[in-house]
Amino acid sequence: MPRQDEQKTMPARATYPPPQSGGLAPALMRNIETLQERRSAAERNASMQERVAEAITRFTGSMAFVYLHVVLFGFWSLVNSGLLPILPKWDESFVILGTSASVEAIFLSTFVLISQNRMAAAADKRADLDLHISLLAEHEVTKLVAMVSAITERLGIQTEADPEVDELRQDVAPNAVLDEIERNGGS
């Protein structure tokens, strides 16, 4: 058995493998790949209508769409106000332009809402996954606290955390937490 002064100079052993050459642990890489596969599958399984709505929303949210409208509306306004007499005026009161812009706004807002609904559904799935993982982690931590507490009791070790240990050993009841949040006006 090494002497006490020898124990201090011995190098500490790693308790986990060092990161791989890419800098990320294999479990993390596996999780990233799984998430990417899920997103790709969701995109492949989207209906044609959802894909069209997503493509339109993506284009209308781009600067190319803004530039297109600056050119179109600018040209329309210049010609119909008489500042650019290369063509005859066809909408002097700008009623056609206003009506066209209104109809376009109706359709664009609908496409945006379709895309937002799809994104909200995906966010709900991720939130459910987060909740399940959090509840599992809470349960595992509770069990670990109980095991460590039993070990410290068996060895007769007193800690500053002793008064809180009984509370920490109890599993969290999600329904009770949600009921309390609702009673206190939380969302």
Side-chain angles (χ1 to χ4, degrees):
M1 182 165 186
R3 294 188 330 241
Q4 194 166 12
D5 61 333
E6 288 177 348
Q7 285 179 339
K8 291 179 185 176
T9 60
M10 293 177 69
R13 290 185 338 161
T15 57
Y16 57 91
Q20 303 301 307
S21 60
L24 299 177
L28 185 55
M29 289 301 299
R30 205 172 37 249
N31 290 344
I32 290 170
E33 290 170 6
T34 300
L35 290 174
Q36 289 173 337
E37 288 170 10
R38 282 289 188 138
R39 286 190 178 149
S40 295
E43 289 174 16
R44 283 190 309 273
N45 294 334
S47 70
M48 180 57 80
Q49 294 171 345
E50 289 172 328
R51 285 189 217 144
V52 168
E54 187 66 34
I56 290 171
T57 303
R58 196 172 23 258
F59 174 68
T60 59
S62 70
M63 286 305 294
F65 186 75
V66 172
Y67 299 143
L68 176 67
H69 277 74
V70 166
V71 169
L72 265 167
F73 288 166
F75 179 75
W76 190 296
S77 298
L78 290 173
V79 169
N80 287 296
S81 64
L83 297 174
L84 191 60
I86 60 170
L87 292 173
K89 298 177 185 178
W90 68 86
D91 186 22
E92 291 183 46
S93 64
F94 293 91
V95 171
I96 297 171
L97 179 64
T99 303
S100 300
S102 296
V103 170
E104 178 186 46
I106 291 168
F107 280 105
L108 290 180
S109 62
T110 303
F111 288 124
V112 168
L113 288 172
I114 291 168
S115 293
Q116 285 179 337
N117 287 341
R118 189 163 175 239
M119 289 169 42
D124 285 346
K125 286 179 184 177
R126 285 190 298 273
D128 285 346
L129 176 62
D130 287 345
L131 176 60
H132 289 295
I133 290 171
S134 294
L135 290 172
L136 179 61
E138 173 65 30
H139 179 71
E140 290 171 347
V141 167
T142 301
K143 294 300 177 194
L144 286 171
V145 166
M147 290 170 48
V148 170
S149 177
I151 292 170
T152 58
E153 285 174 11
R154 173 112 170 137
L155 296 175
I157 300 171
Q158 296 293 318
T159 68
E160 293 178 20
D162 283 345
E164 299 170 351
V165 170
D166 287 336
E167 181 182 339
L168 295 174
R169 282 190 217 178
Q170 299 174 8
D171 268 326
V172 171
N175 287 339
V177 174
L178 290 172
D179 290 345
E180 186 63 28
I181 290 171
E182 289 173 3
R183 267 195 299 278
N184 290 319
S187 53

